[in-house]
């Protein structure tokens, strides 16, 4: 059909939002914009039609005519059907322009009122389609949109392909979509022009699946449930949405770790070939679907004697992968396994697990299958599961440990001596315990203790929603003080930096703790964090941490004592407190707890922060690299996010901008996937983007972090986000905005009691931005205040950066010789300290001082250093400065001052406020005009006075010669 130029879609009709397709969409847009054609391909449900509709809506507006067709499998045998969809409505418009033979053949094919066939009228039909498209293109651009290309009838495909190969420079583009497996798309290119770009749509990431579910209204799903949907769907958007719909329609809430409800629509889609298997083969596949990574050996040990022949047949039908990596039996798609398992009756599923419990060699798998084969409580099964959870924890699989712990709680009797429950689906009591399972005399911990351990494992794995739900379950049932306090601590920890949201928890937890020093130590440790994050007050936070350590020591809780000491050390480091090194040593004394050694709030990370702030970058890098390696082995997601940030920060300081950006982006992806440390990771990624990526991205991330920190009431990260925003604004060349952001940082840190300038390292940026807006006196005050503190603490790199900023102040005052000497010294000092990016900035500033002097200015040294750092935004600044036309010499002071009288009234007012040090925004507010008007007025002032910047206006006011 055709869509005329003036066609508008009805209100409410719009293309679906396309999620997670930035890269292929960018490539498709680029191809279509230059007049090329695009083929989108991928498996069923991957989102080809959605992407096709969105691109067609976007580029259809630029076409004179849009021709559309979409076939189905049942229609693919009807000749010329797709051609009739494409050209049927425009036949009358083009027929008069076709030769008689072509017109007759085309009318016969499209209307069915004749006997036209490719064999009989092949050449006439081919030429008719070509002529019709050329006639339409003569009136304006044509866009052909063809969905489900694989179902187009062969005759239409042949005719389209003939025309497409001969259209040449005619403004005809094709936008097509075809269902393919793997990379088998070549055969579909026969219907498209020779220059068609083929783009494969792959599976969505977990983050994009979560966004898609939210967009379609399936909100409120826990992160662990979204993870299960992503895994089961394989990232396929259609499958993910159908699973989300099934969960929404299911009256019982989904319990994390349990199989997802697979709707009938998906079962029919993925199991349509199951009926071609024998009953024995189907049961073998059910046993395989119940296993984690089943092998042929495992299936045979589970009683499936003909497993090899049965799996070969299943692979031939496309149910199993034909090219399996390793010995595992792998389903062609995760959804096939899930649908097969969901289709089976509960009794058959339990029988499959019972068989696997005797066949599995791994104790964790054996215990899991034993639990899933058991109905009701059983102390032996519960004890086996608790031991398996401990083993999974030691292996670095906390998510598995949490799932096993919840199973253990389900099977643990409320009191010892409970009779043993039946296993499997038969009435004989099931199989005997598998070798290596718990002996009868073992008794597990109480169900609530098992659940609390599972909640703590879930926190380690980053599954905060699951941990919170478990804690609430315990609080609703338990009256034991120790259990209740542990549950309250889980609730507090899952709040992350938004601790103000759980303020009501602390009085309840303190009431449950009574006088028990061990329990009180846990609560006061969390109160220390609250004082820091919510109140932004260092002294009370330090006092609470010290008190927690004292209580823990009194109660014999070495773990909490070490954690509290480490936190006390971190606070002292941020404060610039002289006791910080001594507190770190106390936290590192033996006996140590292995859980603290690599914890992100442990003494190891406190020492890392102290090393970074003390300019010991090589040792800091080695320390955090070792910590990251260990937490990855243990599977602690929260600590991994922290240590990725720490390593990224170290690489950024040393000037390895590309490496820092990769690490920061990895940290941000992991933080967003888990909901852990998103604000902190966004702040660091903003700094990394400003150094080695895209400045616009840096600005967006800093603003995002600022919004979240303000919503959370986290004053510490409001300050950090503002510092990142100010830095990005400075790199972007928006000095007034940078001044506004960094002034807020200065006020916040005064209120927070932060005195160590190495904590945020924003002072040099603020001073430089102030110089750029003509506020040199304020810049000098910032430098003097920070320098006094940096001297007291021995912060050499901070002192060097402050000296660089002071050189810019002195240059603004006309002391260019002093400034040049200072910058040379600063560059050398920063190079020796290993601060590569700051060294390059000093070289850039030195080159900038030479502008306006005799002879050409060389930026080669700055460019070389920035290139070594791979600092792309800074390199772009160097290139812009190097290619900028040389400015005309500034007028003599007297002549320039006389020229002020020639300014218009508004221009004089703006210039006067600049002389006072006001920013563009402040000027706009005082004169009741827009910021854009201020900027335009300043441009006229510069031109009339023959000067280049706000700094020159300030010089004129002071009566000093320009430099």
């Amino acid at each position: 059909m055709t869509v005329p130029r003036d066609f508008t879609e009805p209100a409410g009709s719009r293309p679906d939002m396309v999620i997670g397709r930035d890269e292929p969409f960018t490539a498709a847009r680029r191809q279509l914009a230059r007049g090329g054609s695009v083929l989108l391909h991928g498996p069923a449900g991957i989102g080809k039609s959605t992407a096709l509709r969105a691109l067609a809506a976007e580029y259809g507006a630029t076409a004179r005519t849009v021709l559309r067709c979409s076939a189905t499998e049942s229609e693919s045998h009807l000749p010329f059907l797709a051609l009739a969809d494409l050209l049927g409505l425009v036949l009358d418009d083009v027929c008069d322009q076709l030769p008689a033979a072509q017109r007759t053949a085309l009318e016969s094919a499209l209307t069915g009122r004749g006997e036209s066939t490719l064999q009989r009228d092949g050449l006439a039909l081919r030429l008719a389609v070509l002529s019709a498209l050329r006639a339409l293109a003569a009136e304006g651009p044509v866009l052909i949109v063809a969905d489900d290309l694989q179902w187009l009838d062969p005759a239409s495909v042949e005719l389209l392909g003939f025309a497409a190969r001969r259209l040449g420079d005619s403004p005809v583009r094709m936008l097509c979509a075809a269902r393919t497996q793997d990379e088998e798309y070549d055969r579909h290119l026969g219907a498209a022009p020779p220059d068609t770009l083929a783009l494969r749509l792959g599976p969505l990431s977990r983050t994009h699946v979560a966004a898609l579910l939210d967009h379609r209204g399936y909100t409120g799903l826990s992160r662990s449930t979204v993870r299960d949907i992503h895994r089961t769907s394989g990232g396929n958007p259609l499958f993910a949405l159908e699973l989300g719909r099934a969960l929404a329609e299911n009256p019982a809430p989904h319990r994390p770790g349990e199989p997802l409800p697979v709707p009938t629509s998906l079962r029919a889609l993925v199991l349509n070939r199951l009926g071609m298997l024998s009953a024995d083969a189907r049961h073998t596949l059910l046993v395989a679907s119940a296993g984690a990574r089943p092998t042929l050996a495992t299936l045979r040990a589970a009683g499936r004697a003909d497993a090899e022949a049965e799996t070969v047949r299943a692979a031939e039908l496309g149910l199993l992968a034909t090219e399996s990596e390793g010995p595992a039996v792998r389903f062609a798609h995760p959804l096939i396994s899930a649908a097969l398992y969901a289709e089976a009756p509960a009794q058959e599923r339990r029988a499959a697990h019972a068989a696997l419990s005797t066949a599995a060699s791994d104790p964790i798998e054996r215990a899991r299958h034993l639990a899933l084969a058991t109905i009701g409580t059983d102390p032996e099964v519960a004890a086996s599961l608790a031991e398996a959870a401990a083993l999974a924890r030691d292996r670095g699989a906390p998510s598995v440990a949490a799932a096993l712990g919840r199973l253990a709680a389900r099977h643990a009797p409320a009191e010892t001596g409970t009779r043993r429950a039946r296993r499997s689906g038969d009435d004989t009591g099931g199989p005997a315990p598998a070798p290596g399972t718990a002996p009868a005399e073992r008794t597990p911990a109480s169900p609530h203790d098992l659940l609390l351990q599972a909640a703590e494992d879930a926190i380690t794995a980053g599954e905060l929603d699951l941990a919170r739900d478990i804690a609430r379950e315990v609080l609703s049932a338990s009256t034991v003080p120790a259990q209740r306090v542990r549950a309250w601590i889980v609730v507090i920890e899952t709040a992350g930096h938004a601790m103000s949201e759980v303020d009501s928890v602390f009085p309840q937890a303190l009431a449950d703790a009574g006088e028990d020093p061990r329990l009180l130590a846990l609560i006061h440790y969390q109160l220390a964090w609250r004082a820091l994050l919510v109140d932004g007050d260092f002294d009370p936070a330090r006092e609470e941490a010290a008190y927690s350590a004292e209580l823990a020591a009194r109660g014999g809780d070495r773990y909490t004592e070490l954690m509290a000491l480490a936190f006390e050390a971190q606070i002292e480091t941020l404060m610039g407190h002289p006791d910080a090194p001594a507190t770190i040593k106390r936290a590192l004394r033996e006996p140590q707890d292995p859980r603290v050694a690599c914890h992100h709030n442990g003494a190891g990370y406190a020492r890392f922060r102290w090393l970074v702030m003390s300019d010991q970058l090589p040792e800091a890098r080695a320390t955090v690299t070792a910590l990251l390696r260990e937490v990855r082995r243990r599977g602690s997601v929260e600590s991994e996010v922290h240590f990725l940030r720490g390593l990224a920060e170290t690489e950024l300081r040393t000037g390895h901008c590309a490496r820092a950006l990769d690490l920061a982006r990895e940290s941000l992806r992991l933080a967003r996937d888990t909901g852990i440390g998103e604000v902190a990771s966004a702040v660091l990624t903003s700094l990394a983007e400003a150094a080695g990526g895209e400045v616009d991205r840096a600005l967006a991330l800093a603003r995002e972090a600022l919004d979240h920190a303000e919503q959370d009431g986290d004053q510490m990260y409001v300050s950090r986000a503002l510092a990142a925003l100010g830095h990005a604004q400075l790199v972007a060349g928006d000095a007034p905005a940078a001044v506004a952001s960094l002034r807020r940082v200065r006020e916040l840190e005064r209120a927070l009691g932060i005195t160590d300038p190495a904590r945020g390292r924003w002072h040099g940026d603020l001073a430089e931005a102030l110089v750029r807006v003509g506020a040199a006196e304020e810049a000098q005050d910032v430098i003097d205040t920070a320098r006094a503190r940096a001297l007291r603490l021995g912060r050499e790199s901070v002192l060097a950066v402050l000296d660089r900023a002071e050189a810019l102040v002195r240059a603004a005052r006309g002391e260019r010789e002093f400034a040049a000497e200072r910058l040379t010294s600063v560059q050398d000092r920063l190079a020796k300290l290993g601060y590569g990016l700051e060294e390059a900035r000093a070289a850039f500033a030195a080159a900038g001082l030479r502008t306006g002097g005799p002879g050409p200015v060389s930026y080669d040294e700055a460019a070389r250093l920035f290139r070594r750092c791979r600092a792309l935004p800074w390199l772009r600044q160097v290139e812009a400065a190097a290619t900028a036309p040389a400015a005309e010499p500034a007028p003599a002071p007297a002549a320039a001052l006389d020229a002020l009288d020639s300014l218009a009234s508004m221009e004089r007012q703006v210039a006067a406020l600049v002389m006072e040090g006001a920013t563009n925004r402040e000027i706009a507010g005082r004169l009741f005009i827009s910021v854009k008007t201020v900027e335009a007025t300043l441009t006229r002032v510069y031109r009339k006075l023959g000067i280049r910047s706000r700094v020159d206006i300030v010089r004129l006011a002071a009566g000093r010669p320009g430099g």
Side-chain angles (χ1 to χ4, degrees):
M1 61 181 174
T2 182
V3 181
R5 213 169 20 185
D6 58 352
F7 173 82
T8 57
E9 290 185 328
S13 173
R14 65 176 184 83
D16 289 329
M17 180 172 143
V18 180
I19 292 171
R21 302 298 186 199
D22 291 346
E23 189 173 334
F25 247 62
T26 300
R29 287 189 177 109
R30 192 180 299 119
Q31 175 77 351
L32 292 166
R34 61 172 174 249
S37 298
V38 172
L39 169 67
L40 304 172
H41 67 98
I46 204 67
K48 302 179 297 298
S49 296
T50 299
L52 189 79
R53 285 194 297 270
L55 286 169
E58 184 173 338
Y59 284 90
T62 66
R64 169 69 171 75
T65 305
V66 179
L67 307 175
R68 301 175 187 269
C69 71
S70 179
T72 64
E73 185 176 10
S74 62
E75 299 168 343
S76 60
H77 68 286
L78 300 173
F80 308 122
L81 183 61
L83 196 66
D85 285 343
L86 289 171
L87 298 178
L89 296 180
V90 296
L91 184 60
D92 294 341
D93 298 335
V94 298
C95 266
D96 292 342
Q97 303 177 51
L98 304 182
Q102 294 180 23
R103 181 171 63 249
T104 300
L106 187 59
E107 287 177 339
S108 175
L110 297 188
T111 63
R113 294 193 300 270
E115 298 180 358
S116 182
T117 64
L118 278 179
Q119 289 73 26
R120 176 180 168 181
D121 301 317
L123 181 58
L125 271 175
R126 287 172 171 83
L127 293 175
V129 174
L130 177 59
S131 298
L133 291 175
R134 282 177 173 165
L136 292 170
E139 299 295 323
V142 176
L143 178 65
I144 299 173
V145 182
D147 199 3
D148 284 316
L149 208 60
Q150 74 279 0
W151 303 135
L152 261 63
D153 61 278
S156 296
V157 171
E158 170 62 25
L159 294 172
L160 273 177
F162 176 87
R165 291 189 294 274
R166 288 164 176 80
L167 284 169
D169 294 333
S170 298
V172 178
R173 294 173 292 178
M174 291 188 70
L175 179 56
C176 312
R179 181 185 300 180
T180 59
Q181 292 296 331
D182 300 322
E183 296 295 329
E184 299 172 2
Y185 63 86
D186 290 354
R187 62 191 180 92
H188 299 298
L189 291 175
D195 67 340
T196 299
L197 174 67
L199 295 170
R200 179 171 177 80
L201 300 186
L204 297 180
S205 68
R206 188 194 306 178
T207 301
H208 290 138
V209 164
L212 179 66
L213 292 166
D214 284 344
H215 175 65
R216 293 299 183 88
Y218 302 129
T219 56
L221 299 174
S222 68
R223 291 181 184 274
S224 54
T225 299
V226 172
R227 181 200 61 199
D228 290 343
I229 291 175
H230 177 259
R231 176 181 52 78
T232 303
S233 69
N236 184 295
L238 172 64
F239 298 170
L241 288 172
E242 284 296 292
L243 291 168
R245 181 178 62 80
L247 284 169
E249 294 174 353
N250 195 341
H254 175 251
R255 295 172 67 91
E258 293 185 348
L260 293 171
V262 180
T264 305
S265 59
L266 287 187
R267 296 186 198 181
L269 178 65
V270 300
L271 299 180
N272 55 356
R273 285 159 290 185
L274 195 63
M276 302 172 69
L277 289 175
S278 66
D280 284 344
R282 288 199 296 271
H283 191 72
T284 296
L285 290 189
L286 172 62
V287 175
S289 72
R293 285 183 60 83
T295 63
L296 287 174
T298 304
L299 293 175
R300 284 193 292 266
R304 311 312 303 163
D306 295 326
E308 186 167 0
E310 291 163 350
T311 55
V312 168
R313 177 58 179 152
E316 291 171 353
L317 294 173
L319 295 166
L320 295 178
T322 53
E323 296 179 1
S324 181
E325 297 177 4
V329 174
R330 188 165 55 89
F331 284 89
H333 192 281
L335 190 60
I336 297 175
S337 174
L340 188 64
Y341 191 87
E343 187 88 357
Q347 182 174 337
E348 290 186 18
R349 292 202 297 260
R350 286 196 297 273
H353 286 296
L356 286 168
S357 71
T358 65
S361 58
D362 184 82
I364 292 176
E365 273 300 290
R366 193 163 57 240
R368 185 178 76 87
H369 288 303
L370 192 62
L372 294 172
T374 302
I375 304 172
T377 60
D378 188 318
E380 293 181 16
V381 172
S384 294
L385 285 163
E387 289 182 358
L391 181 58
R393 200 174 301 120
D394 290 341
R395 289 182 181 178
S399 181
V400 175
L404 292 168
R406 293 176 69 245
L407 283 172
R410 187 184 307 173
H411 291 290
E415 55 187 12
T416 59
T418 304
R419 67 181 182 84
R420 186 167 170 167
R422 290 200 304 259
R423 298 194 190 107
S424 82
D426 58 30
D427 295 325
T428 63
T437 54
E441 65 271 19
R442 287 186 306 174
T443 55
S446 75
H448 291 150
D449 286 329
L450 291 168
L451 283 173
L452 287 168
Q453 181 61 64
E456 289 158 4
D457 287 330
I459 290 176
T460 303
E463 298 178 15
L464 304 186
D465 294 332
L466 174 59
R468 190 182 302 111
D469 290 345
I470 294 173
R472 296 292 185 188
E473 182 181 342
V474 172
L475 287 167
S476 67
S478 175
T479 58
V480 179
Q483 290 175 348
R484 292 185 60 80
V485 170
R486 278 180 74 189
W488 287 126
I489 297 301
V490 169
V491 172
I492 293 168
E493 289 191 345
T494 55
H497 284 201
M499 294 190 79
S500 59
E501 296 178 2
V502 291
D503 273 349
S504 61
V505 166
F506 288 101
Q508 299 176 73
L510 287 167
D512 283 330
E515 300 297 323
D516 189 327
R518 292 173 65 93
L519 300 181
L520 289 170
L522 295 172
I523 301 167
H524 282 280
Y525 176 72
Q526 297 297 335
L527 284 169
W529 276 102
R530 189 202 174 283
L532 180 65
L533 296 177
V534 178
D535 298 333
D537 203 329
F538 278 77
D539 287 325
R542 179 171 175 253
E543 290 170 7
E544 288 283 5
Y547 185 45
S548 172
E550 178 189 330
L551 287 167
R554 196 188 312 162
D557 181 357
R558 183 61 173 163
Y559 172 83
T560 303
E561 180 187 4
L562 292 173
M563 291 293 290
L565 285 170
F567 187 43
E568 183 183 355
Q570 286 196 53
I571 297 170
E572 290 173 347
T573 299
L574 290 172
M575 295 173 70
H577 197 285
D579 288 351
T583 308
I584 291 173
K585 287 181 180 178
R586 286 177 61 204
L588 289 170
R589 283 178 191 158
E590 296 295 338
Q592 284 290 312
D593 187 307
R595 295 171 295 169
V596 178
C598 62
H599 195 283
H600 57 277
N601 289 322
Y605 197 62
R607 181 172 177 271
F608 160 75
R609 292 247 51 93
W610 184 81
L611 289 168
V612 168
M613 295 177 74
S614 302
D615 300 322
Q616 300 180 52
L617 297 183
E619 193 171 351
R621 181 194 284 117
T623 298
V624 76
T625 300
L627 289 170
L628 180 60
R629 188 184 305 116
E630 179 62 16
V631 298
R632 280 176 166 165
R633 186 187 72 79
R634 291 173 174 265
S636 175
V637 176
E638 185 171 8
S639 292
E640 182 178 357
V641 172
H642 276 76
F643 297 157
L644 277 169
R645 283 202 307 269
L647 184 55
E649 179 185 350
T650 309
E651 299 293 357
L652 196 57
R653 297 266 178 260
T654 53
H656 299 145
C657 296
R659 170 72 171 150
L661 185 57
D662 287 344
L663 289 163
R665 286 173 174 171
E666 184 182 354
S667 167
L668 184 58
R669 280 194 299 271
L670 190 57
R672 284 177 169 167
D673 278 349
T674 59
I676 293 172
E678 292 180 75
V679 173
S681 292
V683 166
L684 186 67
T685 309
S686 171
L687 293 170
E689 290 282 358
E694 296 295 333
V695 179
D696 288 345
R697 179 71 176 149
L699 291 165
L701 283 168
R703 291 187 178 109
E704 174 191 321
L706 179 59
D707 288 344
H708 284 297
E710 288 178 334
Q711 290 170 14
D712 292 345
D714 185 344
Q715 295 303 303
M716 284 284 292
Y717 271 97
V718 168
S719 168
R720 293 190 178 190
L722 280 168
L725 179 59
H727 178 74
Q729 289 165 334
L730 182 65
V731 177
D734 190 352
V739 167
S741 296
L742 296 174
R743 277 175 174 163
R744 284 188 63 193
V745 178
R746 180 175 56 185
E747 295 307 314
L748 274 169
E749 291 208 353
R750 281 176 183 168
L752 290 169
I754 299 173
T755 59
D756 190 341
R759 180 260 182 188
R761 297 177 182 268
W762 48 267
H763 310 76
D765 283 345
L766 176 55
E768 183 174 339
L770 287 166
V771 170
R772 291 190 192 182
V773 301
E777 294 304 321
E778 184 182 348
Q780 188 64 56
D781 180 63
V782 170
I783 293 165
D784 291 342
T785 302
R787 179 181 284 138
R789 294 169 177 170
L791 282 169
R792 177 175 62 82
L793 297 167
R795 306 302 194 214
E796 292 298 328
S797 64
V798 174
L799 289 167
V801 169
L802 293 172
D803 284 351
R804 184 186 67 208
E806 186 173 44
L808 298 176
V809 173
R810 302 290 280 270
R813 293 172 175 168
E815 303 172 43
R816 300 175 72 84
E817 186 175 346
F818 172 89
E821 291 177 359
R822 175 63 62 87
L823 286 172
T824 300
S825 168
V826 164
Q827 184 179 339
D828 182 59
R829 287 157 58 196
L830 288 168
K832 289 177 179 177
L833 289 169
Y835 284 76
L837 185 57
E838 299 293 356
E839 175 194 357
R841 287 181 64 179
F844 187 29
L849 281 185
R850 295 192 288 272
T851 57
V857 176
S858 172
Y859 287 91
D860 289 350
E861 174 70 359
R864 180 185 69 81
L865 293 173
F866 281 131
R867 198 173 293 113
R868 183 184 69 184
C869 295
R870 297 188 66 181
L872 302 182
W874 290 101
L875 265 175
R876 286 191 277 271
Q877 287 194 39
V878 171
E879 290 166 2
T883 57
E888 296 181 4
L897 287 169
D898 291 341
L900 287 172
D901 296 332
S902 67
L903 298 178
S905 173
M906 176 62 72
E907 293 166 352
R908 281 199 302 274
Q909 292 180 69
V910 170
L913 289 170
V914 168
M915 293 173 189
E916 294 176 13
T919 67
N920 286 5
R921 192 173 300 280
E922 290 167 344
I923 294 170
R926 290 169 67 175
L927 298 182
F928 303 100
I929 58 178
S930 70
V931 174
K932 286 186 178 295
T933 301
V934 174
E935 293 168 351
T937 304
L938 278 174
T939 300
R940 293 195 300 273
V941 170
Y942 299 156
R943 186 172 63 250
K944 288 183 179 181
L945 298 181
I947 60 178
R948 298 187 302 271
S949 69
R950 301 168 63 101
V951 175
D952 292 327
I953 296 179
V954 176
R955 290 178 186 144
L956 292 177
R960 287 188 287 268

